[in-house]
Structure formats: structure tokens, C-alpha cells
Amino acid sequence: MTTRAPAAPAAPAGPSVLPTDLRGPGVPVPTTPEHARGRSRFEMGIGRPDPLEARGLVRLLTKPAAFLAANWAALLGILSVVGIVPALAGATRTTSDLAQYEDAAFRTTLGHVRRTLRRDAPMSILLLLVLGGIGTNALVLPQMDASMRVFAVGLMLPVMWLMIALLSAYVAAASRDQHAERAAIVLGAVTLVMRRPLAALVAPALVAVLSPLWLLAPLTIACGVSVPAWVVGRVWGDPTVEGPG
């Protein structure tokens, strides 16, 4: 009994499935520039967007969502009390470079808190002491005589203003470096205040103006940390760049 070899598949009866030109059927069209001039961009595979790329309204909401995610991550750090300064620095780091961190704002902010918690925890305690001093003054001053009150305000206001400026400069410097020692960050903050006196003058005023964002609960949950961190960070600018203010 003999076996027959399988027959080869028959060629399609219709026109060739390959794109052809005038050279004859079945001859592929060259892809050189001079032959591609008559073809559409779709035929050449140019200009087709990535289906996973955010577009339109989704793209418009990306940055607000990044602010919201950074804010929630910062709030988790603030709940630990000693993580206030690391949380502010992490939110500043994320919001100051949304082009890099907008797709991972929550993870980036929380990661900064985790890496710098031990280094920046003492500054969180100092910040709480400053806030406690401001609150104590607000309770004691109304009970003083007018002349004594003016003297106390004139004495304490420059000190408190300088402390808030130094702490905000520390946050700006700490947001740029997760690995430097605390002494180096403190030195960077002092250098910022000295080289940028205008920013040192404006930063505490902005903290006071933006206080409703972190005092009112609905705003605090939405953007009470991330927006002030972004604004104050913009005032200080890049701590690695020298400037007058």
C-alpha cells in the first residue's frame, strides 16, 4: 500500500494579500521614504496613541489626583506625630515634581516618610514646641495690659517668625535629599534663610494664610497638607540652587 505525500496548499485565487505596487502581484511595497509619500500615516503605523495613555478628562484629573494621594500619604505620616516634618517633606518632594511622581504620588510620599522618619523626627518635636508656644501666647496675651502686650508681641514675633522660616526651609531642604545626615540638612536650611531673605520673610506669612486648609477638616482631608507644601516649596525653590530670594 503506497502513501501519497500531502498536497501543498493551493494559492489564493483572488488578488495577493500582500500590498503591491505596479511592479506586479505579490511584490511588497518598498518602505523607503520616496515610496512612502503616497501612504497615509495610519498605513505607516505613525501617530496611533498608546491605548493605556491617559487622555482628555482623565489626563486633566491626573494632577489633582496626585495632590490627593500625596495628601493622604502625608496624613498617615502626621498621625504618628513624630512624622510631621517627614510627611511635609515627602509631600513637598512629590508635588514639586509631578511630572516624575504623579503616577506614584502616594507611594513616593509614604516612602519618603519611611526613609527619613528617624532623621527628621527631632524636627517634628521642635515644630510641635513652636506651635505650642504660639498657642500659649495666644492665650496669655489677651490677659496682659496693653503696654505689656505690645512689648511681648514685639519681643516674640521676630523669634517665632524666624523659627517658622527655619522649619519651612528645613522641610524644603529635606525634601530634596533622603540620605543626608540631619546636620547637613540643618546647615542647608540655615543657608537657605541667609541666601534667600525674601523667601524667609514670605514663607511664615504663607503658612498663616494657608492655615484654613489644614485647620478645616474637609479641606485637610482633601489638600490640607499637599497644597501648602507645594506653595511653600515653590517659594523656597530648589535648595540646591543659590539665589537671593
Side-chain angles (χ1 to χ4, degrees), residues 22 38 48-49 61 73 85 104 142 152 172 196 227 229 231 242-243:
L22 299 178
R48 280 181 278 184
L61 296 176
V85 169
R196 301 181 181 179
V227 169
V231 173
E242 298 182 3

Side-chain angles (χ1 to χ4, degrees), residues 100-140:
Q100 179 177 355
Y101 299 122
E102 64 181 6
D103 295 330
F106 185 89
R107 186 172 67 250
T108 300
T109 305
L110 206 58
H112 184 93
V113 174
R114 179 178 57 83
R115 294 186 187 95
T116 62
L117 182 61
R118 181 176 299 180
R119 181 192 71 185
D120 297 336
M123 303 306 296
S124 299
I125 303 300
L126 178 60
L127 176 59
L128 289 175
L129 292 175
V130 172
L131 294 177
I134 294 174
T136 302
N137 288 333
L139 294 175
V140 173

Side-chain angles (χ1 to χ4, degrees), residues 161 164-165 168 198-214 224 227-237:
W161 201 279
I164 295 175
S168 64
L198 181 59
L201 185 64
V202 171
L206 283 176
V207 172
V209 169
L210 296 170
S211 60
L213 293 179
W214 46 271
V227 169
W230 175 74
V231 173
V232 177
R234 298 274 295 193
V235 169
W236 286 113

Side-chain angles (χ1 to χ4, degrees), residues 19-69:
T20 59
D21 60 4
L22 299 178
R23 299 183 182 189
V27 180
V29 176
T31 57
T32 53
E34 58 271 14
H35 291 85
R37 289 172 185 168
R39 302 170 64 193
S40 67
R41 291 172 60 85
F42 179 81
E43 292 174 336
M44 292 186 291
I46 300 175
R48 280 181 278 184
D50 184 355
L52 298 180
E53 182 183 357
R55 299 187 299 275
L57 182 61
V58 176
R59 186 63 183 173
L60 182 64
L61 296 176
T62 300
K63 285 181 171 55
F67 271 90
L68 186 65

